[in-house]
């Protein structure tokens, strides 16, 4: 037998003591098959990036256990007791449900304590978690939603999963002058004003010629990997969606936006954007993916169909016509025949799609709320909102979820409501109104 140093022995003993303590606190540690036999629920206590599919280390398992819910320990400080109760209710958890946790020991303990405080007494450890890679599930395109440490490792030249295949850029997107960017941004990041990609009177995307000139000015070719983030996720998503339409092949979002980077404790840089060497040419025809945008006539043709959904990403008060949602959009109401895709409490929030830390909610949760309104992955789906920002965020999520035929109706409610001949509806209604 090999000799073991005192330090190694101590570490092993501490590890065994930690596991023993954890097992003592969670007396009914069980395997996934045992949990399934009790009709129980596995709960992943790791950050959503790892739940979605990013491996925690370069060759670590990728994804989450089948039917697992994500309740990251890092969210707990942001969740009130009422919010935790709603999370449990939405996932049909009761005090009688068998729950098995997996993730970091400390995270498991924190989640266990919070669940027990809320009245859940059958909380144990999933003993064989992440040990069978073939059964793990993940977002089909988890790599399109990056996380802070991945960006940091990319900048440091470390070996990473889903690394860019060629040149790459990190860019912050926001409306107007970069006033917040000047105070602090991701080191080396550029800046794009959303006014460079959309314009009045309806805030639709700029012409293809202007789009080409903008991309070249920022040194972006069709084969450049662009990693976007924003103080508001939907600002970055708006730019990302338009870049994909233009033909940039690899566009990614920092999941959770600037808040995710700020909360990570990684280095922050202040000051003006550095000089950018323009690209001599975009290198491909624009638009490269015209199908990612639909116009008003195409949107009208998607109404009241079983194989298509025109999806409103607007708050419920906007959808039923209580408010337009915008100071500069006067008409209230909704496109008659559109399906409600959820959004948030008002025109500037997207709580229905976010975890407590602002990252993307689980794909299963999003798909379930869409399914209730007959919005299905096999359909041709076009999202819209007031002017395109919220719609673009959901487009990016659907794309990460593997939905293959998704687009944005660029004109949205602003354009639709400016044409009196377009059908409009108001009032409380359910999914049957769009059939």
């Amino acid at each position: 037998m090999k000799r073991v140093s005192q330090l190694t022995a101590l570490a092993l003993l501490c590890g065994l003591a930690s596991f023993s303590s954890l097992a003592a606190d969670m007396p009914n540690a069980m395997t996934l098959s045992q949990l399934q036999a009790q009709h129980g629920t596995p709960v992943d206590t790791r950050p959503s990036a790892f739940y979605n599919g990013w491996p925690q280390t370069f060759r670590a398992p990728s994804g989450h256990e089948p039917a697992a819910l994500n309740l990251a320990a890092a969210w707990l400080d942001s969740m009130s007791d009422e919010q935790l109760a709603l999370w449990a209710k939405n996932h049909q958890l009761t005090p009688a449900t068998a729950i098995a946790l997996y993730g970091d020991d400390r995270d498991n303990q924190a989640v266990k304590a919070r669940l027990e405080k809320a009245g859940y007494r059958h909380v144990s450890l999933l003993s064989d978690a992440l040990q069978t890679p073939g059964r793990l599930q993940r977002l089909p395109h988890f790599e399109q939603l990056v996380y802070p440490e991945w960006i940091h490792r990319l900048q440091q030249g470390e070996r990473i999963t889903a690394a860019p295949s060629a040149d790459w850029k990190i860019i912050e997107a926001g409306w107007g002058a970069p006033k917040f960017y000047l105070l602090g941004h991701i080191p080396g990041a550029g800046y794009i004003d959303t006014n460079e990609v959309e314009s009045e009177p309806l805030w639709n995307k700029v012409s293809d010629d202007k789009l080409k000139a903008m991309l070249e000015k920022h040194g972006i070719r069709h084969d450049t990997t662009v990693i976007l983030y924003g103080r508001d996720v939907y600002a970055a998503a708006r730019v990302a969606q338009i870049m994909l339409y233009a033909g940039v092949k690899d566009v990614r979002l920092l999941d959770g936006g600037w808040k995710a980077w700020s909360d990570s404790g990684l280095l922050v840089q202040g000051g003006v954007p550095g000089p950018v060497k323009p690209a001599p040419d975009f290198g491909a025809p624009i638009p490269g993916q015209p199908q990612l945008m639909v116009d008003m006539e195409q949107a009208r043709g998607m109404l009241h169909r079983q194989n298509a959904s025109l999806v409103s990403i607007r708050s419920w008060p906007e959808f039923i016509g209580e408010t337009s949602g915008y100071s500069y959009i006067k008409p209230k109401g909704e496109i008659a025949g559109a399906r409600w895709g959820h959004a948030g409490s008002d025109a500037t929030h997207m709580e229905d799609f976010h975890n407590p830390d602002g990252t993307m909610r689980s794909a299963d949760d999003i798909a379930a709320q869409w399914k209730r309104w007959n919005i299905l992955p096999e359909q041709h789906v076009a999202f819209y909102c007031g002017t395109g920002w919220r719609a673009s965020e959901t487009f990016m999520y659907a794309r990460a979820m593997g939905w293959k035929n998704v687009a944005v109706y660029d004109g949205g409610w602003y354009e639709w409501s400016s044409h009196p001949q377009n059908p409009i509806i108001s009032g409380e209604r359910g999914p049957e109104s769009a059939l």
Side-chain angles (χ1 to χ4, degrees):
M1 179 182 292
K2 293 183 179 179
R3 295 181 61 189
V4 180
S5 71
Q6 290 181 334
L7 185 61
T8 302
L10 180 61
L12 288 169
L13 287 171
C14 288
L16 289 171
S18 173
F19 183 82
S20 298
S21 173
L22 186 67
D25 288 339
M26 298 184 181
N28 297 316
M30 63 182 75
T31 65
L32 181 64
S33 61
Q34 291 171 332
L35 180 69
Q36 290 170 334
Q38 295 186 27
H39 304 288
T41 300
V43 172
D44 192 325
T45 67
R46 301 175 299 164
S48 59
F50 305 132
Y51 175 87
N52 287 341
W54 288 101
Q56 289 182 258
T57 58
F58 184 65
R59 295 193 181 279
S62 170
H64 59 265
E65 293 292 345
L69 304 178
N70 192 198
L71 180 60
W75 304 345
L76 296 179
D77 289 343
S78 302
M79 295 181 77
S80 67
D81 291 344
E82 292 75 18
Q83 288 172 319
L84 182 62
L86 180 61
W87 175 87
K89 179 181 178 182
N90 288 341
H91 294 103
Q92 292 82 50
L93 298 184
T94 72
T97 304
I99 298 171
L101 309 178
Y102 67 93
D104 177 84
D105 284 355
R106 183 176 298 178
D107 290 346
N108 289 340
Q109 291 284 18
V111 173
K112 174 180 180 289
R114 188 67 183 274
L115 287 173
E116 287 188 341
K117 179 185 174 185
Y120 295 87
R121 298 299 177 185
H122 303 284
V123 182
S124 63
L125 182 71
L126 191 64
S127 60
D128 62 343
L130 307 177
Q131 295 178 17
T132 308
R135 76 185 184 197
L136 301 182
Q137 300 173 347
R138 60 193 65 82
L139 279 181
H141 296 293
F142 66 85
E143 75 283 352
Q144 295 171 7
L145 298 173
V146 304
Y147 63 104
E149 290 77 11
W150 182 89
I151 294 178
H152 176 69
R153 293 181 189 125
L154 172 66
Q155 292 176 320
Q156 297 302 309
E158 297 179 18
R159 196 175 183 189
I160 54 174
T161 300
S165 59
D167 185 35
W168 53 270
K169 292 180 179 294
I170 302 169
I171 296 175
E172 178 172 330
W175 180 75
K179 50 185 180 295
F180 295 113
Y181 172 99
L182 296 175
L183 297 175
H185 55 265
I186 296 177
Y191 184 81
I192 287 180
D193 179 356
T194 57
N195 288 310
E196 298 180 69
V197 300
E198 60 179 12
S199 63
E200 295 184 284
L202 295 174
W203 295 111
N204 286 0
K205 71 167 185 65
V206 297
S207 69
D208 292 343
D209 288 343
K210 288 183 178 179
L211 187 54
K212 181 175 186 292
M214 183 279 294
L215 292 166
E216 291 170 356
K217 182 185 79 170
H218 287 281
I220 298 169
R221 289 173 41 86
H222 71 285
D223 53 359
T224 304
T225 294
V226 182
I227 303 156
L228 286 154
Y229 74 96
R231 310 287 154 159
D232 297 307
V233 174
Y234 50 41
R238 175 65 163 161
V239 176
Q241 202 273 338
I242 291 175
M243 284 188 179
L244 288 164
Y245 158 86
V248 182
K249 294 179 180 179
D250 187 8
V251 182
R252 313 195 196 186
L253 280 184
L254 171 56
D255 195 12
W258 168 251
K259 183 180 184 299
W261 185 272
S262 180
D263 289 349
S264 73
L266 292 168
L267 187 64
V268 171
Q269 182 180 50
V272 299
V276 177
K277 181 181 179 181
D281 188 76
F282 181 68
I286 289 181
Q289 297 194 82
Q291 75 279 7
L292 301 186
M293 290 278 193
V294 301
D295 60 23
M296 189 168 65
E297 292 306 313
Q298 291 171 314
R300 185 181 290 111
M302 296 176 70
L303 297 171
H304 302 292
R305 284 171 49 188
Q306 290 298 323
N307 64 347
S309 283
L310 185 63
V311 180
S312 172
I313 305 298
R314 303 174 74 203
S315 66
W316 185 250
E318 291 172 273
F319 186 74
I320 64 174
E322 288 183 355
T323 176
S324 75
Y326 302 79
S327 61
Y328 54 87
I329 302 178
K330 301 307 177 185
K332 300 175 184 178
E334 192 56 274
I335 298 175
R339 295 176 175 133
W340 188 48
H342 287 254
S345 53
D346 58 33
T348 62
H349 290 86
M350 290 282 283
E351 299 100 329
D352 295 347
F353 291 92
H354 292 165
N355 293 318
D357 62 355
T359 54
M360 174 189 160
R361 194 174 171 187
S362 79
D364 287 344
D365 285 357
I366 292 173
Q369 67 185 13
W370 283 345
K371 186 177 181 180
R372 286 192 287 273
W373 279 79
N374 194 39
I375 303 163
L376 306 171
E378 63 269 18
Q379 296 172 337
H380 180 202
V381 177
F383 303 104
Y384 73 94
C385 52
T387 62
W389 287 34
R390 290 175 289 174
S392 294
E393 183 174 342
T394 49
F395 167 91
M396 295 300 290
Y397 293 157
R399 185 170 172 265
M401 289 162 62
W403 289 39
K404 299 184 183 304
N405 196 5
V406 292
V408 166
Y409 167 33
D410 190 27
W413 175 245
Y414 201 1
E415 179 183 59
W416 188 272
S417 63
S418 68
H419 293 263
Q421 75 274 20
N422 284 334
I424 290 174
I425 190 172
S426 294
E428 296 275 350
R429 58 197 181 278
E432 69 284 349
S433 65
L435 298 177

